[in-house]
Amino acid sequence: MILTVTLNTALDVTHHVPKLIPHASHRVTTVTERAGGKGLNVARVLAALGHEVTATGFAGGRTGAVVRELLAESPRVTDALVPCAGSTRRTLAVVDRTSGDTTQFNEPGPQIGSAEWTAFLGRYEALLTGAAAVALCGSLPPGVPVGAYATLVRSARAAGVPVLLDTSGEALRRGVAARPEMIKPNAAELAELTGSREPLQATRDARRRGAHAVVTSLGPGGLLAATAHGTWQAAPPRALTGNPTGAGDSAVAGLLSALTEGLDWPDRLTRAVALSAATVHAPTAGEFDPRTYEQVRGSVTLTTR
Protein backbone atom coordinates (compact mmCIF):
# COMPACT_ATOMS: atom_id res chain seq x y z
CA MET A 1 0.00 0.00 0.00
CA ILE A 2 1.16 3.53 -0.82
CA LEU A 3 0.04 6.27 1.58
CA THR A 4 -0.76 9.77 0.34
CA VAL A 5 -1.20 12.74 2.68
CA THR A 6 -3.25 15.77 1.68
CA LEU A 7 -3.57 18.03 4.71
CA ASN A 8 -5.44 20.65 2.65
CA THR A 9 -7.87 18.58 0.59
CA ALA A 10 -10.18 20.36 -1.85
CA LEU A 11 -13.17 20.03 -4.07
CA ASP A 12 -11.66 20.77 -7.48
CA VAL A 13 -14.15 22.39 -9.84
CA THR A 14 -13.09 22.85 -13.48
CA HIS A 15 -14.99 25.13 -15.87
CA HIS A 16 -14.32 25.09 -19.62
CA VAL A 17 -15.13 28.25 -21.58
CA PRO A 18 -14.65 28.97 -25.30
CA LYS A 19 -12.43 31.96 -24.50
CA LEU A 20 -11.58 33.62 -21.18
CA ILE A 21 -11.97 37.41 -21.43
CA PRO A 22 -11.33 39.70 -18.42
CA HIS A 23 -14.31 41.77 -17.22
CA ALA A 24 -16.70 39.73 -19.42
CA SER A 25 -19.54 37.33 -18.68
CA HIS A 26 -18.93 33.73 -19.84
CA ARG A 27 -21.04 30.73 -20.76
CA VAL A 28 -19.47 27.57 -19.34
CA THR A 29 -19.52 24.65 -21.78
CA THR A 30 -18.61 21.86 -19.32
CA VAL A 31 -18.14 21.54 -15.55
CA THR A 32 -16.36 18.74 -13.71
CA GLU A 33 -15.88 18.11 -9.98
CA ARG A 34 -13.17 15.94 -8.43
CA ALA A 35 -11.90 15.12 -4.97
CA GLY A 36 -8.75 17.20 -5.05
CA GLY A 37 -5.68 18.55 -3.41
CA LYS A 38 -2.28 17.38 -4.60
CA GLY A 39 -2.17 14.13 -2.63
CA LEU A 40 -5.61 12.99 -3.81
CA ASN A 41 -4.56 13.64 -7.41
CA VAL A 42 -1.47 11.52 -6.74
CA ALA A 43 -3.64 8.79 -5.21
CA ARG A 44 -5.88 8.50 -8.29
CA VAL A 45 -2.94 8.27 -10.68
CA LEU A 46 -1.25 5.65 -8.49
CA ALA A 47 -4.49 3.65 -8.46
CA ALA A 48 -4.76 3.91 -12.25
CA LEU A 49 -1.24 2.44 -12.41
CA GLY A 50 -2.48 -0.55 -10.42
CA HIS A 51 -1.33 0.33 -6.89
CA GLU A 52 -3.40 0.05 -3.74
CA VAL A 53 -3.51 3.50 -2.12
CA THR A 54 -4.67 4.88 1.22
CA ALA A 55 -5.44 8.61 1.29
CA THR A 56 -5.37 10.59 4.52
CA GLY A 57 -5.55 14.25 5.48
CA PHE A 58 -8.47 16.39 6.65
CA ALA A 59 -12.06 16.68 5.39
CA GLY A 60 -14.89 18.69 6.90
CA GLY A 61 -18.22 20.41 6.29
CA ARG A 62 -20.48 20.00 3.27
CA THR A 63 -17.59 20.34 0.85
CA GLY A 64 -15.66 17.68 2.73
CA ALA A 65 -18.64 15.33 2.50
CA VAL A 66 -18.73 15.79 -1.28
CA VAL A 67 -14.98 15.14 -1.48
CA ARG A 68 -15.42 11.86 0.39
CA GLU A 69 -18.34 10.82 -1.82
CA LEU A 70 -16.27 11.45 -4.94
CA LEU A 71 -13.22 9.72 -3.47
CA ALA A 72 -15.33 6.62 -2.84
CA GLU A 73 -15.78 6.33 -6.61
CA SER A 74 -12.02 5.84 -7.12
CA PRO A 75 -11.09 2.15 -7.36
CA ARG A 76 -8.15 0.97 -5.21
CA VAL A 77 -8.19 4.18 -3.12
CA THR A 78 -9.08 3.76 0.58
CA ASP A 79 -10.46 6.81 2.41
CA ALA A 80 -8.62 7.41 5.70
CA LEU A 81 -9.36 11.16 5.93
CA VAL A 82 -9.68 12.66 9.41
CA PRO A 83 -12.80 14.77 10.15
CA CYS A 84 -12.39 18.44 11.02
CA ALA A 85 -14.89 21.06 12.17
CA GLY A 86 -14.10 23.56 9.42
CA SER A 87 -15.21 23.19 5.83
CA THR A 88 -12.89 21.75 3.20
CA ARG A 89 -11.85 24.35 0.64
CA ARG A 90 -12.77 24.56 -3.03
CA THR A 91 -10.54 25.30 -5.98
CA LEU A 92 -11.80 26.67 -9.28
CA ALA A 93 -9.96 26.16 -12.55
CA VAL A 94 -11.16 27.98 -15.68
CA VAL A 95 -9.86 26.45 -18.90
CA ASP A 96 -9.73 28.66 -22.00
CA ARG A 97 -10.43 26.27 -24.89
CA THR A 98 -9.00 28.69 -27.45
CA SER A 99 -5.55 29.10 -25.89
CA GLY A 100 -5.45 26.01 -23.68
CA ASP A 101 -4.47 28.22 -20.72
CA THR A 102 -5.87 27.59 -17.24
CA THR A 103 -6.67 30.22 -14.60
CA GLN A 104 -6.73 28.86 -11.04
CA PHE A 105 -8.42 30.14 -7.86
CA ASN A 106 -7.47 28.40 -4.57
CA GLU A 107 -9.21 28.93 -1.24
CA PRO A 108 -7.05 28.77 1.94
CA GLY A 109 -8.68 25.79 3.66
CA PRO A 110 -10.27 25.17 7.09
CA GLN A 111 -8.82 26.17 10.45
CA ILE A 112 -7.38 23.05 12.08
CA GLY A 113 -7.43 22.88 15.88
CA SER A 114 -4.77 21.30 18.08
CA ALA A 115 -6.99 18.33 18.96
CA GLU A 116 -7.65 17.70 15.26
CA TRP A 117 -3.93 17.82 14.49
CA THR A 118 -3.24 15.34 17.32
CA ALA A 119 -5.95 13.02 15.95
CA PHE A 120 -4.37 13.19 12.50
CA LEU A 121 -0.90 12.34 13.86
CA GLY A 122 -2.32 9.23 15.52
CA ARG A 123 -4.02 8.15 12.29
CA TYR A 124 -0.88 8.80 10.24
CA GLU A 125 1.44 6.83 12.52
CA ALA A 126 -0.97 3.88 12.49
CA LEU A 127 -1.14 3.93 8.68
CA LEU A 128 2.65 3.95 8.33
CA THR A 129 2.81 0.38 9.62
CA GLY A 130 1.33 -0.94 6.37
CA ALA A 131 2.86 1.54 3.93
CA ALA A 132 5.52 0.84 1.29
CA ALA A 133 6.02 4.57 0.67
CA VAL A 134 4.36 7.88 1.52
CA ALA A 135 3.70 11.08 -0.43
CA LEU A 136 3.34 14.31 1.57
CA CYS A 137 1.70 16.81 -0.75
CA GLY A 138 0.47 20.35 -0.96
CA SER A 139 -0.15 23.38 1.22
CA LEU A 140 -0.84 23.47 4.96
CA PRO A 141 -4.32 24.55 6.08
CA PRO A 142 -4.53 27.30 8.71
CA GLY A 143 -3.71 26.09 12.22
CA VAL A 144 -1.37 23.26 11.19
CA PRO A 145 2.18 23.85 12.50
CA VAL A 146 4.57 25.17 9.85
CA GLY A 147 6.93 22.31 10.74
CA ALA A 148 4.22 19.72 10.14
CA TYR A 149 5.91 18.05 7.20
CA ALA A 150 9.21 17.81 9.07
CA THR A 151 7.34 15.96 11.82
CA LEU A 152 5.70 13.61 9.31
CA VAL A 153 8.99 12.94 7.51
CA ARG A 154 10.70 12.02 10.78
CA SER A 155 7.85 9.67 11.73
CA ALA A 156 8.07 7.91 8.38
CA ARG A 157 11.85 7.60 8.60
CA ALA A 158 11.51 6.09 12.09
CA ALA A 159 9.09 3.53 10.62
CA GLY A 160 11.46 2.77 7.73
CA VAL A 161 9.07 4.16 5.09
CA PRO A 162 10.52 6.26 2.23
CA VAL A 163 8.95 9.71 1.83
CA LEU A 164 8.41 11.98 -1.17
CA LEU A 165 7.72 15.58 -0.13
CA ASP A 166 5.97 17.97 -2.53
CA THR A 167 5.27 21.35 -0.96
CA SER A 168 6.69 24.88 -0.96
CA GLY A 169 7.86 27.80 1.14
CA GLU A 170 8.71 27.42 4.82
CA ALA A 171 7.02 24.01 4.98
CA LEU A 172 9.45 22.78 2.32
CA ARG A 173 12.48 24.37 3.98
CA ARG A 174 11.74 22.67 7.29
CA GLY A 175 10.71 19.42 5.64
CA VAL A 176 13.97 19.12 3.68
CA ALA A 177 15.97 19.36 6.89
CA ALA A 178 14.21 16.18 8.13
CA ARG A 179 15.89 14.27 5.25
CA PRO A 180 13.07 12.88 3.07
CA GLU A 181 13.87 10.32 0.38
CA MET A 182 12.80 12.77 -2.35
CA ILE A 183 11.47 16.26 -2.84
CA LYS A 184 9.79 17.48 -6.04
CA PRO A 185 9.68 21.28 -6.23
CA ASN A 186 9.05 23.27 -9.38
CA ALA A 187 11.68 25.79 -10.52
CA ALA A 188 10.10 28.72 -8.65
CA GLU A 189 9.77 26.75 -5.40
CA LEU A 190 13.37 25.56 -5.74
CA ALA A 191 14.63 29.11 -6.28
CA GLU A 192 12.77 30.24 -3.16
CA LEU A 193 14.34 27.41 -1.17
CA THR A 194 17.93 27.85 -2.34
CA GLY A 195 18.18 31.47 -3.54
CA SER A 196 19.50 30.26 -6.93
CA ARG A 197 17.62 30.52 -10.22
CA GLU A 198 20.05 28.27 -12.11
CA PRO A 199 18.16 24.93 -12.01
CA LEU A 200 21.13 22.55 -11.91
CA GLN A 201 22.94 24.46 -9.18
CA ALA A 202 19.72 24.90 -7.20
CA THR A 203 18.80 21.21 -7.48
CA ARG A 204 22.20 20.13 -6.19
CA ASP A 205 22.07 22.75 -3.43
CA ALA A 206 18.65 21.50 -2.29
CA ARG A 207 20.06 18.00 -2.03
CA ARG A 208 22.86 19.25 0.21
CA ARG A 209 20.20 20.69 2.53
CA GLY A 210 19.02 17.17 3.43
CA ALA A 211 16.95 15.47 0.72
CA HIS A 212 18.42 12.22 -0.57
CA ALA A 213 17.18 13.12 -4.07
CA VAL A 214 15.77 16.30 -5.61
CA VAL A 215 13.56 16.15 -8.70
CA THR A 216 12.74 19.57 -10.12
CA SER A 217 9.85 20.23 -12.49
CA LEU A 218 10.95 22.40 -15.41
CA GLY A 219 7.55 22.68 -17.09
CA PRO A 220 7.87 21.85 -20.81
CA GLY A 221 11.55 21.07 -20.15
CA GLY A 222 10.64 17.95 -18.16
CA LEU A 223 12.37 16.92 -14.94
CA LEU A 224 15.86 17.53 -13.56
CA ALA A 225 17.01 15.04 -10.91
CA ALA A 226 20.03 15.13 -8.60
CA THR A 227 20.49 11.82 -6.76
CA ALA A 228 23.17 9.77 -5.04
CA HIS A 229 23.42 7.72 -8.26
CA GLY A 230 23.79 10.56 -10.75
CA THR A 231 22.14 13.65 -12.22
CA TRP A 232 19.77 13.49 -15.21
CA GLN A 233 17.34 15.62 -17.16
CA ALA A 234 14.37 13.84 -18.71
CA ALA A 235 12.28 15.74 -21.27
CA PRO A 236 9.25 14.95 -23.44
CA PRO A 237 9.78 14.93 -27.21
CA ARG A 238 7.71 18.08 -27.67
CA ALA A 239 5.73 20.66 -25.72
CA LEU A 240 2.10 19.62 -25.26
CA THR A 241 -0.86 21.97 -25.15
CA GLY A 242 -3.74 21.40 -22.77
CA ASN A 243 -4.56 21.75 -19.08
CA PRO A 244 -1.34 21.55 -16.99
CA THR A 245 -3.23 21.34 -13.68
CA GLY A 246 -2.16 18.17 -11.88
CA ALA A 247 0.79 17.42 -14.18
CA GLY A 248 3.21 17.75 -11.26
CA ASP A 249 1.04 15.44 -9.16
CA SER A 250 1.20 12.81 -11.89
CA ALA A 251 4.98 13.14 -11.89
CA VAL A 252 4.94 12.46 -8.13
CA ALA A 253 2.82 9.36 -8.72
CA GLY A 254 5.25 8.18 -11.40
CA LEU A 255 8.28 8.66 -9.15
CA LEU A 256 6.68 7.01 -6.14
CA SER A 257 5.24 4.04 -8.04
CA ALA A 258 8.60 3.41 -9.73
CA LEU A 259 10.36 3.60 -6.35
CA THR A 260 8.10 0.95 -4.83
CA GLU A 261 8.59 -1.24 -7.92
CA GLY A 262 12.38 -1.05 -7.58
CA LEU A 263 13.01 0.72 -10.90
CA ASP A 264 16.27 2.61 -11.45
CA TRP A 265 16.41 6.39 -11.75
CA PRO A 266 16.30 6.65 -15.55
CA ASP A 267 13.13 4.51 -15.61
CA ARG A 268 11.60 6.49 -12.74
CA LEU A 269 12.15 9.76 -14.58
CA THR A 270 10.88 8.38 -17.88
CA ARG A 271 7.65 7.23 -16.24
CA ALA A 272 7.20 10.52 -14.38
CA VAL A 273 7.71 12.67 -17.49
CA ALA A 274 5.36 10.52 -19.57
CA LEU A 275 2.62 10.66 -16.92
CA SER A 276 3.05 14.40 -16.53
CA ALA A 277 2.72 14.94 -20.28
CA ALA A 278 -0.29 12.63 -20.46
CA THR A 279 -2.01 14.63 -17.71
CA VAL A 280 -1.76 17.80 -19.80
CA HIS A 281 -3.91 15.98 -22.39
CA ALA A 282 -6.48 14.87 -19.80
CA PRO A 283 -9.53 17.03 -19.05
CA THR A 284 -9.05 17.22 -15.25
CA ALA A 285 -6.34 16.86 -12.59
CA GLY A 286 -5.75 13.38 -11.24
CA GLU A 287 -6.25 11.76 -14.63
CA PHE A 288 -3.97 10.98 -17.56
CA ASP A 289 -4.50 10.09 -21.19
CA PRO A 290 -3.24 6.47 -21.63
CA ARG A 291 -2.44 6.86 -25.34
CA THR A 292 -0.33 9.97 -24.73
CA TYR A 293 1.39 8.18 -21.86
CA GLU A 294 2.48 5.26 -24.05
CA GLN A 295 3.56 7.54 -26.90
CA VAL A 296 5.64 9.85 -24.71
CA ARG A 297 7.14 7.06 -22.59
CA GLY A 298 8.80 5.60 -25.66
CA SER A 299 10.34 8.90 -26.75
CA VAL A 300 11.50 10.66 -23.56
CA THR A 301 14.96 12.19 -23.95
CA LEU A 302 17.30 11.37 -21.05
CA THR A 303 20.49 13.39 -20.63
CA THR A 304 23.23 12.97 -18.03
CA ARG A 305 24.09 16.31 -16.37
Side-chain angles (χ1 to χ4, degrees), residues 233-237 266 269-275 293 295-303:
Q233 182 170 346
L269 296 170
T270 296
R271 177 181 291 183
V273 167
L275 282 170
Y293 172 61
Q295 290 168 0
V296 174
R297 189 174 62 167
S299 54
V300 170
T301 301
L302 195 68
T303 307

Side-chain angles (χ1 to χ4, degrees), residues 114-288:
S114 59
E116 292 168 334
W117 176 239
T118 300
F120 169 80
L121 288 176
R123 175 72 60 87
Y124 173 75
E125 291 178 1
L127 291 169
L128 284 174
T129 60
V134 58
L136 306 176
C137 302
S139 61
L140 301 178
V144 170
V146 70
Y149 282 135
T151 298
L152 301 184
V153 170
R154 286 192 289 266
S155 294
R157 284 174 53 81
V161 180
V163 181
L164 190 157
L165 175 62
D166 183 15
T167 188
S168 60
E170 185 65 12
L172 175 60
R173 189 184 70 81
R174 297 196 186 196
V176 168
R179 300 186 62 80
E181 184 71 21
M182 279 185 274
I183 63 171
K184 196 215 67 63
N186 61 34
E189 293 162 349
L190 188 66
E192 182 181 5
L193 174 66
T194 65
S196 173
R197 295 194 173 275
E198 199 291 304
L200 183 58
Q201 177 183 334
T203 298
R204 288 173 170 161
D205 181 52
R207 186 166 178 266
R208 286 191 291 270
R209 291 169 183 255
H212 293 280
V214 178
V215 182
T216 304
S217 294
L218 302 177
L223 298 173
L224 177 63
T227 79
H229 304 283
T231 302
W232 296 272
Q233 182 170 346
R238 63 188 184 283
L240 298 174
T241 59
N243 181 5
T245 306
D249 304 331
S250 291
V252 168
L255 292 167
L256 208 58
S257 63
L259 169 68
T260 61
E261 294 169 26
L263 301 185
D264 61 17
W265 270 104
D267 287 338
R268 294 184 200 181
L269 296 170
T270 296
R271 177 181 291 183
V273 167
L275 282 170
S276 182
T279 298
V280 173
H281 271 196
T284 55
E287 298 180 357
F288 64 92

Side-chain angles (χ1 to χ4, degrees), residues 5-23:
V5 175
T6 316
L7 296 176
N8 210 3
T9 56
L11 177 64
D12 287 344
V13 182
T14 303
H15 287 181
H16 291 81
V17 297
K19 185 176 178 61
L20 183 60
I21 304 171
H23 315 298

Side-chain angles (χ1 to χ4, degrees), residues 86-111:
S87 184
T88 295
R89 67 190 176 125
R90 297 162 298 175
T91 69
L92 176 63
V94 182
V95 180
D96 183 325
R97 289 192 179 276
T98 300
S99 66
D101 292 337
T102 301
T103 301
Q104 190 88 13
F105 301 89
N106 297 327
E107 296 178 358
Q111 181 76 30

Side-chain angles (χ1 to χ4, degrees), residues 10-14 32-37 41 44 67 70 283-285 287:
L11 177 64
D12 287 344
V13 182
T14 303
T32 57
E33 291 185 342
R34 292 288 185 275
N41 293 337
R44 280 197 300 275
V67 166
L70 293 171
T284 55
E287 298 180 357

Side-chain angles (χ1 to χ4, degrees), residues 33-61:
E33 291 185 342
R34 292 288 185 275
K38 294 176 73 65
L40 295 188
N41 293 337
V42 171
R44 280 197 300 275
V45 175
L46 285 168
L49 293 170
H51 291 270
E52 295 297 322
V53 187
T54 297
T56 190
F58 291 105

